[in-house]
Amino acid sequence: MSQAKARVVILDRDTLPPQITVRTPNFPHDLDSHGQTKPDEVAARIKDADVVILNKVKLTREAIAAAPRLRVVAVAATGTDVVDVAACKERGIVVTNIRGYATHTVPEHTFALILALRRSLLAYRDSVARGRWQESGQFCYFDYPIHDLANSTLGIIGDGALGRSVAKLGEAFGMKVLFAAHKGSTGMGPLYTPFEEVLRQSDVITLHAPLLPTTRNMIAAPEFAQMKRHALLINTARGGLVDEAALADALRAGTIAGAGFDVTIEEPPAQDHPFMALQSLPNFILTPHVAWASQEAIQGLADQLIDNVEAAWRGEPRNVVEPPAKR
Ligand SMILES: NC(=O)C1=CN([C@@H]2O[C@H](COP(=O)(O)OP(=O)(O)OC[C@H]3O[C@@H](n4cnc5c(N)ncnc54)[C@H](OP(=O)(O)O)[C@@H]3O)[C@@H](O)[C@H]2O)C=CC1
Ligand SMILES: O=C(O)C(=O)CO
């Protein structure tokens, strides 16, 4: 992109573990690396930047306007919802993301949540710790429901790299897999089942769609009401896809049987977030946005991140993110 020395700013290096090697870009540059950046620190830190690298720091239209030299924003994640991509595009700033790095780690985490919930694993573990096994006086007891995955129906929302890998694992467990058509869409072809039909038919529903204006709150009270009472909802995608208060209500009311979440709208969630009051429920598991975080996946992400930065800087950008289309 340029022969001049570039100023590269990393806004949240601490979102990659210290033992992960983030290699130095292969073009002349000065590096300004910050462990974390608060929202009100972004504009000042990027004001002279040519390249910004970030994972979960929000990059707003205002901050972008205050960075006249900015040419490349390299997101260290697949999800780019933290960046105002439309504002970048208007300025000719290239936005890149990481693709396909999490096709083992996220599906495996998804199934860890599904299996734990479907077999009441945490409830049995807690009851063993409380002495319930000895109290039962026999070799086993049946306090909590256990269901097979085989012959059950897995509804997948989002048929990208992760949705498809999850489908393969589901098929290996003997599940019938349904890919949901976009909510509100009618003609997506025979490979897709209408969104509402997926809600009605699935025993397990798992989300793998990006957070966009069109996917925000795609699951709220009316959608919970259409699910089976024994359905599980798994969200390893983005917090904003689900109305969090409606999920808490659905779990308390028994509208659905359980939920496994790796993501929340604000991360970390505040102490008074509706999910924090659910921590004692045996049918709700919240993990701290670590579905992506196998050592193997993160190293692949870090390598791809610098590949993206180098390619964009030499004027051959790859993994370019376009602003969300309105549909
Ligand atoms: N918790 C974690 O650690 C991680 C979370 N993620 C999240 O998972 C998401 C998916 O990742 P990945 O599969 O790699 O991304 P991809 O871009 O490969 O796939 C996303 C898919 O979602 C589909 N999609 C878009 N809009 C809708 C909609 N309205 N309804 C249903 N599907 C839709 C897209 O296809 P089309 O538009 O053609 O339908 C696309 O196929 C990421 O965006 C990210 O937010 C990713 C990695 C780690
Ligand atoms: O890759 C992603 O989108 C993640 O959320 C991991 O940071």
Side-chain angles (χ1 to χ4, degrees):
M1 190 169 275
S2 163
Q3 298 307 312
K5 206 170 187 189
R7 185 168 176 79
V8 177
V9 177
I10 303 181
L11 290 177
D12 50 356
R13 173 61 180 85
D14 290 355
T15 62
L16 301 179
Q19 70 272 22
I20 293 295
T21 307
V22 181
R23 83 171 190 275
T24 305
N26 65 2
F27 51 86
H29 67 279
D30 292 319
L31 180 64
D32 184 15
S33 181
H34 302 273
Q36 301 184 355
T37 298
K38 297 196 182 80
D40 62 356
E41 294 171 333
V42 175
R45 288 186 175 177
I46 70 168
K47 72 177 179 11
D48 300 321
D50 299 287
V51 177
V52 167
I53 298 176
L54 59 85
N55 188 341
K56 294 291 177 288
V57 172
K58 284 197 174 63
L59 195 60
T60 61
R61 180 174 283 277
E62 292 69 36
I64 292 160
R69 287 173 51 167
L70 188 57
R71 291 292 166 266
V72 179
V73 174
V75 181
T78 300
T80 54
D81 43 283
V82 291
V83 175
D84 191 328
V85 181
C88 288
K89 177 110 181 169
E90 286 165 25
R91 277 267 314 279
I93 298 166
V94 171
V95 180
T96 65
N97 74 340
I98 313 294
R99 300 188 185 171
Y101 77 98
T103 51
H104 299 302
T105 186
V106 169
E108 289 182 23
H109 197 86
T110 299
F111 270 87
L113 295 171
I114 295 172
L115 286 164
L117 290 163
R118 193 87 174 153
R119 306 195 69 84
S120 298
L121 204 70
L122 298 186
Y124 276 108
R125 181 186 182 280
D126 289 351
S127 67
V128 167
R130 283 197 312 271
R132 172 71 180 107
W133 201 354
Q134 291 76 19
E135 187 189 296
S136 75
Q138 58 173 27
F139 86 100
C140 70
Y141 54 97
F142 311 106
D143 292 2
Y144 309 102
I146 296 178
H147 292 287
D148 294 335
L149 291 182
N151 302 315
S152 69
T153 298
L154 176 64
I156 301 179
I157 298 179
D159 71 337
L162 299 182
R164 287 173 193 204
S165 293
V166 165
K168 280 192 195 144
L169 293 188
E171 281 159 3
F173 276 108
M175 301 177 87
K176 175 182 172 190
V177 173
L178 303 177
F179 278 107
H182 288 194
K183 190 177 176 179
S185 127
T186 44
M188 284 185 66
L191 294 178
Y192 300 91
T193 303
F195 183 82
E196 275 74 21
E197 206 46 52
V198 169
L199 298 182
R200 281 193 286 271
Q201 287 188 27
S202 299
D203 303 294
V204 179
I205 296 168
T206 183
L207 307 183
H208 301 287
L211 178 60
L212 305 169
T214 48
T215 60
R216 192 176 290 280
N217 279 334
M218 63 155 57
I219 307 283
E223 286 70 35
F224 287 117
Q226 294 176 70
M227 294 178 193
K228 295 178 177 177
R229 281 184 87 82
H230 69 255
L232 301 177
L233 177 66
I234 309 298
N235 186 5
T236 59
R238 279 295 181 271
L241 299 177
V242 177
D243 178 330
E244 294 177 333
L247 172 66
D249 290 346
L251 288 175
R252 287 213 181 79
T255 312
I256 63 167
F261 270 53
D262 185 52
V263 284
T264 54
I265 295 171
E266 291 299 330
E267 295 176 339
Q271 270 309 328
D272 63 354
H273 185 281
F275 289 178
M276 298 311 288
L278 302 177
Q279 292 305 310
S280 58
L281 294 185
N283 59 343
F284 179 64
I285 303 176
L286 180 62
T287 53
H289 202 141
V290 287
W292 66 297
S294 73
Q295 299 282 314
E296 297 81 3
I298 298 184
Q299 190 57 62
L301 176 153
D303 295 343
Q304 205 185 120
L305 176 66
I306 302 304
D307 290 345
N308 289 349
V309 168
E310 292 172 347
W313 193 252
R314 67 172 181 266
E316 298 167 3
R318 36 169 275 165
N319 292 7
V320 175
V321 181
E322 293 297 334
K326 292 191 178 67
R327 48 185 175 192

